[in-house]
Amino acid sequence: MCGIVGAVSSGPVNQLLYDALLLLQHRGQDAAGMVTLQGQRCHLHKARGMVRDVFRTRNMRALPGNTGLGQVRYPTAGNAESEEEAQPFYVNAPFGLALVHNGNLTNAVALKRALFEVDRRHINTDSDSEVLLNVFAHELGRFSGVPLTPDAIFRAVSAVHRRVRGSYAVVALIAGQGLVAFRDPKGIRPLSLGRGGAGDETTWMVASESVAIEGVGLQQQRDVAPGEAIFIDQKGQMHSRQCADQPELLPCLFEFVYLARPDSVLDGVSVYRARLNMGETLAQRVINFVKPADIDVVIPIPESSRPSAMQLAHRLGKPYREGFVKNRYVGRTFIMPGQAVRRKSVRQKLNAIAQEFSGRNVLLVDDSIVRGTTSKEIVQMARDAGANKVYLASAAPPVRFSNIYGIDMPTQSELVAHDRSLEEIRTYIGCDALIYQDLDALKSCVASLNPAMQRFEASCFSGEYVHGEIVNGQWVEGARDDLQGELFQGAARPSTAASSVAVDEADGDSERDSAPHGRQRLTL
Ligand SMILES: O=P(O)(O)OC[C@H]1O[C@H](OP(=O)(O)OP(=O)(O)O)[C@H](O)[C@@H]1O
Ligand SMILES: NC(=O)CC[C@H](N)C(=O)O
Ligand SMILES: [Mg+2]
């Protein structure tokens, strides 16, 4: 996941974009960037780091103009250390184009080959987003004349939909023309449209989450529909068209579990309310495994599990206590690069209040257990703080399969639940009881809040991939040809018991950590 934003306004957009990026920081901590457009001239600044570190006053001054876009990056392709792979990407033809992308293309290798051999375009990094920009640029060049028309833009987006597979929420800027936003035909990653002011004073914004729109004082209008493209010209006129043949809404379920902020509304669903529902249904599961009389207190594992834990405690009639205090200056651990830094960060980030644990049977609640880094540490911290029994409940089902659509879970063998029975996971984490949410229950927690949303991209729980790239844990013929053998190798190869060990028991640094950031990424 990354956070993306774009704006067209009657005034300068640099501060607006900066503020929106800060509100999207939870979606990407590795790099940030912005492009603004003043007349025909694009101004770009991007670098590794968090928003506050990347944009100093002098950088902001050098980003003039009334149209612009920005991104916070959490890499799923290429290399987190590469400054060039920070976004936005820019190409000078046709017109001058800049693009930001949230998602992950699953046929990027084949596209890169075709771009070079057929379209005669050079890709200079290992980023799938640079591939996506060049596909869009090539198609825009084919359909557009001068002056550029909305129809040409929409035809180019339709062609992108035909060529590209995977997930993509996109904002692009066309020099001298305006802002384009589009979402893949299954709407896997979110994209919201907002507006403020009126007439000549109108400001438009497109952003990954509604919190960015509302946080800068604009109003959320609606979501960009799956497959839809929106074009806002420099006079502030908005044009839109459905550009996909068979669009259907299959949003990523993990957005509701963990990725999005609780105060966002995605595709009409309040993330906060969905998380409350998760607490309700999880409470039903808990009482199947642990007698309520054996639970003294419910304690969330901050931050994302709080709404679910609160509702779960309410449903069980048990006290809800903040037993862990979060250091607000440490970022999200799951999206940090590398297992060693993630593990260290759990202890730096969370500290136990011993009195809340001492002599008690505690039920810890987290939103999800992915690599098991957090839960293993936290269970031990609860024991060190004097807890009697330590039970652990997860508001999401076991994460057993790779995510290839924009969450950095490419390697099954990193996942604590992969190839392990429930009892083996419990033993590994070291808790006295382990309770997971049921997948159908999780889906209904979200779907009950929007009747139009009945299906989800839930591959990391189910192993079913919406584009059919992987079937029964194996890349299907053809889809596999698009990709290098080592890509997503956990999914491509049946794992062995040895390779399923998520984290080395002794020091937490698995062999995979010797690879850059411990990730198996798309290498083009
Ligand atoms: O099993 P793991 O691999 O440890 O991943 C799961 C944990 O990571 C996330 O927390 P994170 O610290 O990233 O963010 P949060 O503060 O929003 O909870 C998530 O909320 C879980 O606590
Ligand atoms: N998490 C994302 O959306 C990543 C975008 C893009 N695939 C990258 O790696 O930079
Ligand atoms: Mg967490």
Side-chain angles (χ1 to χ4, degrees):
M1 68 185 185
C2 295
I4 59 173
V5 62
V8 178
S9 181
S10 48
V13 288
N14 52 0
Q15 190 63 45
L16 206 60
L17 293 172
Y18 178 94
D19 293 344
L21 287 179
L22 265 187
L23 288 157
L24 295 172
Q25 186 78 81
H26 62 283
R27 298 183 69 87
Q29 300 172 166
D30 286 13
M34 224 190 268
V35 163
T36 55
L37 174 66
Q38 190 182 39
Q40 297 287 338
R41 178 72 59 94
C42 291
H43 302 271
L44 166 71
H45 178 68
K46 61 179 182 177
R48 290 179 63 200
M50 310 267 273
V51 175
R52 279 189 194 282
D53 304 318
V54 169
F55 299 103
R56 316 303 301 190
T57 308
R58 64 181 178 280
N59 310 121
M60 294 294 283
R61 285 209 188 101
L63 290 164
N66 295 3
T67 303
L69 45 71
Q71 204 237 25
V72 283
R73 183 177 188 226
Y74 156 66
T76 57
N79 185 346
E81 283 168 4
S82 161
E83 197 118 314
E84 289 78 39
E85 288 175 12
Q87 299 191 30
F89 279 98
Y90 169 82
V91 283
N92 64 359
F95 304 102
L97 277 176
L99 177 142
V100 286
H101 166 215
N102 172 209
N104 198 57
L105 309 190
T106 54
N107 63 339
V109 174
L111 285 171
K112 183 177 183 182
R113 201 179 305 127
L115 281 168
F116 183 71
E117 291 173 0
V118 184
D119 302 340
R120 299 284 186 266
R121 281 180 169 266
H122 171 66
I123 305 298
N124 203 42
T125 69
D126 287 337
S127 165
D128 59 331
S129 309
E130 190 188 5
V131 170
L132 179 58
L133 169 60
N134 277 273
V135 172
F136 181 50
H138 178 78
E139 299 301 334
L140 195 61
R142 281 203 313 135
F143 291 110
S144 65
V146 179
L148 180 64
T149 61
D151 180 63
I153 293 169
F154 296 141
R155 290 174 71 189
V157 173
S158 294
V160 168
H161 288 332
R162 286 193 292 273
R163 289 182 70 174
V164 170
R165 216 172 46 236
S167 67
Y168 47 99
V170 169
V171 184
L173 178 157
I174 309 177
Q177 311 291 329
L179 203 73
V180 183
F182 55 93
R183 203 170 164 198
D184 70 67
K186 302 207 182 292
I188 296 174
R189 304 258 74 92
L191 197 60
S192 193
L193 176 70
R195 187 183 177 172
D200 289 348
E201 301 292 306
T202 299
T203 296
W204 289 97
M205 180 173 274
V206 191
S208 296
E209 292 184 31
S210 62
V211 67
I213 292 168
E214 288 166 358
V216 299
L218 306 176
Q219 291 80 48
Q220 186 186 24
Q221 298 281 301
R222 64 179 179 87
D223 298 280
V224 177
E228 185 189 24
I230 282 176
F231 173 55
I232 303 160
D233 65 29
Q234 290 205 280
K235 294 193 195 93
Q237 288 296 315
M238 200 267 273
H239 314 256
S240 67
R241 185 183 294 175
Q242 176 52 257
C243 297
D245 292 337
Q246 289 180 313
E248 57 174 334
L249 182 60
L250 286 166
C252 170
L253 197 51
F254 209 66
E255 290 275 353
F256 297 95
V257 169
Y258 165 72
L259 299 183
R261 263 181 52 153
D263 42 346
S264 281
V265 176
L266 307 183
D267 291 305
V269 171
S270 151
V271 175
Y272 181 72
R273 295 213 70 84
R275 288 182 190 167
L276 290 182
N277 287 351
M278 290 172 208
E280 281 283 323
T281 50
L282 187 57
Q284 302 299 327
R285 295 275 292 180
V286 166
I287 55 179
N288 293 337
F289 289 86
V290 184
K291 281 200 233 101
D294 287 344
I295 300 169
D296 295 323
V297 61
V298 175
I299 293 179
I301 301 177
E303 182 67 43
S304 298
S305 67
R306 279 205 172 109
S308 304
M310 202 170 51
Q311 192 62 23
L312 184 150
H314 176 75
R315 173 56 54 202
L316 294 182
K318 297 290 171 185
Y320 169 88
R321 291 282 182 271
E322 297 281 354
F324 294 103
V325 176
K326 184 185 163 194
N327 178 343
R328 67 185 68 185
Y329 301 104
V330 176
R332 297 184 110 182
T333 37
F334 175 71
I335 64 173
M336 282 177 182
Q339 184 61 12
V341 63
R342 279 193 292 262
R343 185 167 183 259
K344 188 158 165 255
S345 293
V346 174
R347 292 253 174 188
Q348 285 180 339
K349 176 177 161 173
L350 298 170
N351 189 42
I353 300 173
Q355 293 83 339
E356 294 301 329
F357 293 89
S358 185
R360 290 180 174 170
N361 293 343
V362 299
L363 172 61
L364 306 180
V365 181
D366 209 344
D367 55 88
S368 57
I369 303 169
V370 183
R371 298 176 180 93
T373 323
T374 306
S375 19
K376 192 174 168 64
E377 287 295 319
I378 288 288
V379 166
Q380 189 55 48
M381 284 166 72
R383 292 204 191 282
D384 294 347
N388 182 23
K389 297 262 187 205
V390 182
Y391 310 120
L392 176 66
S394 163
V399 175
R400 296 191 192 278
F401 304 94
S402 312
N403 185 294
I404 58 173
Y405 301 125
I407 305 171
D408 190 26
M409 306 177 192
T411 315
Q412 281 188 359
S413 56
E414 286 183 9
L415 308 173
V416 68
H418 175 64
D419 258 6
R420 278 199 175 99
S421 67
L422 215 56
E423 179 55 20
E424 287 168 334
I425 306 168
R426 189 198 62 74
T427 307
Y428 174 78
I429 289 173
C431 50
D432 295 295
L434 174 62
I435 304 106
Y436 277 109
Q437 182 89 265
D438 169 73
L439 180 54
D440 285 338
L442 173 62
K443 288 178 179 172
S444 73
C445 290
V446 183
S448 62
L449 299 170
N450 178 2
M453 188 192 286
Q454 293 306 320
R455 296 182 60 212
F456 296 91
E457 194 303 285
S459 53
C460 61
F461 306 120
S462 67
E464 289 161 23
Y465 294 81
V466 299
H467 289 285
E469 294 95 334
I470 300 172
V471 175
N472 296 329
Q474 302 292 319
W475 281 91
V476 298
E477 209 66 38
R480 180 98 191 260
D481 292 345
D482 286 345
L483 297 149
Q484 289 188 341
E486 68 269 28
L487 174 62
F488 308 128
Q489 60 178 236
R493 285 192 215 138
S495 62
T496 61
S499 71
S500 74
V501 176
V503 183
D504 183 88
E505 301 267 349
D507 62 11
D509 288 347
S510 69
E511 240 178 67
R512 288 175 293 278
D513 282 342
S514 57
H517 303 290
R519 297 174 185 191
Q520 308 283 342
R521 278 213 202 80
L522 174 62
T523 307
L524 299 179

